[in-house]
Amino acid sequence: MLGPQILVRTLSIPTRRGKAQGAWQYHPRSDVHSKIACWTLLLDCLLECDALYEDARAGKIGFAINHLMVGPINKTLDLVLTRVPRSRGSLGGRRTFLDVGKSYGIALTAEEEGLLAEVVSVHEETRSDVSEVAVAVEAKACMTDHIGALPRLHAEILATGYLAKRAAPECTVVSYTLVNTAETFRSGADSPKKMRQPESAKAVLNMLAAAVPLCRDHHGLLGYDAVGALSIACRNDGTPVTVSTGECSPATDSSIHYERMVRQICAAYRRGARR
């Protein structure tokens, strides 16, 4: 799949993030890393899933990043995939999937841009659109202080999954987390902080695999339809960001392996399309 390598290639390029004065690969007060993660995940879904690919080429699906889902308590989701209503008129003024990627500084090769030409009919939702949400993704990043961040990370994942299901009971809800495996991490002007690895990354991965409720275990009433993680090594010091392998990364037989998450999204979308 193309998404992980495009993600780390793009994150490797330091940029102004949030209110930071300098250029950074990651900044906690910026959501650029989340936008890049969502865009690359959607790219893999569009290119790898037959049902999504055909609907994308037919202009039947839309998407939005940082989309407000309306429910008992409104919640902004990092990524949604929508079914375009038949009554929608002109697409004038709407950005395409590629347009949005370029606005995020996504670093694509010429070959990758060529592949995107196949899904050029996927357009961004506007804030005033009222569309059926087919897939909703909550994207998180655990970059430093993994152990200390675990309770809050777990609580935020649980809350978002619950609210997304209350807002759109039939949609596929996905939890996607970036987990940093680097042994050092630089924050601001401070010297690089040493991190306990692989223990820290493994603790987050174990929580995601064991402590996030799944819909299939709760009669579809709450929980997530798919949970996935991608391990990356980001020192935040200007050195290249890389995709991690080995014990700090979900194995192919893990329930939270990145590719398995994409396949689960595809299967759920295909089932929803048949309803």
Side-chain angles (χ1 to χ4, degrees):
M1 294 190 176
L2 299 175
Q5 289 301 327
I6 297 174
L7 169 75
V8 296
R9 186 194 310 149
T10 304
L11 289 179
S12 294
I13 305 169
T15 60
R16 290 282 299 275
R17 299 179 188 272
K19 297 181 179 179
Q21 295 300 312
W24 294 93
Q25 294 163 307
Y26 170 85
H27 194 281
R29 297 188 181 277
S30 167
D31 66 350
V32 172
H33 61 278
S34 175
K35 291 176 177 176
I36 295 169
C38 288
W39 192 93
T40 51
L41 171 62
L42 181 52
L43 172 67
D44 278 335
C45 290
L46 291 172
L47 295 182
E48 294 286 338
C49 178
D50 54 348
L52 273 171
Y53 177 79
E54 293 301 328
D55 281 356
R57 295 193 66 182
K60 294 181 178 180
I61 58 174
F63 78 101
I65 291 175
N66 291 338
H67 175 82
L68 183 69
M69 289 190 69
V70 177
I73 298 178
N74 293 351
K75 175 65 177 175
T76 298
L77 269 290
D78 294 288
L79 168 67
V80 297
L81 188 62
T82 63
R83 301 187 193 279
V84 175
R86 293 177 60 189
S87 59
R88 180 165 294 173
S90 171
L91 295 173
R94 293 177 185 267
R95 296 190 297 177
T96 67
F97 179 59
L98 179 57
D99 291 335
V100 173
K102 288 182 176 180
S103 76
Y104 296 159
I106 301 289
L108 298 171
T109 65
E111 181 179 1
E112 290 162 350
E113 281 207 38
L115 290 173
L116 279 170
E118 301 177 20
V119 289
V120 71
S121 296
V122 179
H123 288 80
E124 186 179 33
E125 294 279 307
T126 68
R127 292 188 180 275
S128 61
D129 287 330
V130 180
S131 303
E132 176 188 352
V133 176
V135 180
V137 179
E138 170 74 347
K140 292 292 185 183
C142 195
M143 302 299 286
T144 185
D145 190 26
H146 299 54
I147 305 300
L150 264 183
R152 185 177 68 177
L153 176 65
H154 183 240
E156 290 177 351
I157 290 173
L158 291 182
T160 299
Y162 174 76
L163 293 174
K165 276 295 184 185
R166 289 296 306 277
E170 300 299 324
C171 83
T172 298
V173 182
V174 182
S175 171
Y176 174 34
T177 305
L178 298 179
V179 181
N180 191 13
T181 68
E183 295 185 353
T184 61
F185 187 80
R186 185 182 175 204
S187 298
D190 298 336
S191 299
K193 174 185 177 182
K194 187 170 178 59
M195 299 196 292
R196 290 181 56 196
Q197 298 291 13
E199 296 85 357
S200 295
K202 289 171 71 174
V204 177
L205 296 175
N206 289 338
M207 181 276 287
L208 294 171
V212 177
L214 300 175
C215 285
R216 62 174 179 262
D217 299 327
H218 298 277
H219 308 289
L221 300 176
L222 63 91
Y224 285 86
D225 297 280
V227 178
L230 182 68
S231 294
I232 63 173
C234 175
R235 298 179 181 83
N236 209 27
D237 60 1
T239 57
V241 181
T242 58
V243 175
S244 301
T245 57
E247 61 181 334
C248 285
S249 178
T252 54
D253 62 354
S254 168
S255 62
I256 61 171
H257 188 267
Y258 176 85
E259 185 171 342
R260 192 175 302 281
M261 172 182 64
V262 173
R263 302 299 183 204
Q264 290 172 336
I265 294 171
C266 179
Y269 181 84
R270 191 182 294 112
R271 287 195 301 270
R274 291 172 179 168
R275 284 199 290 263

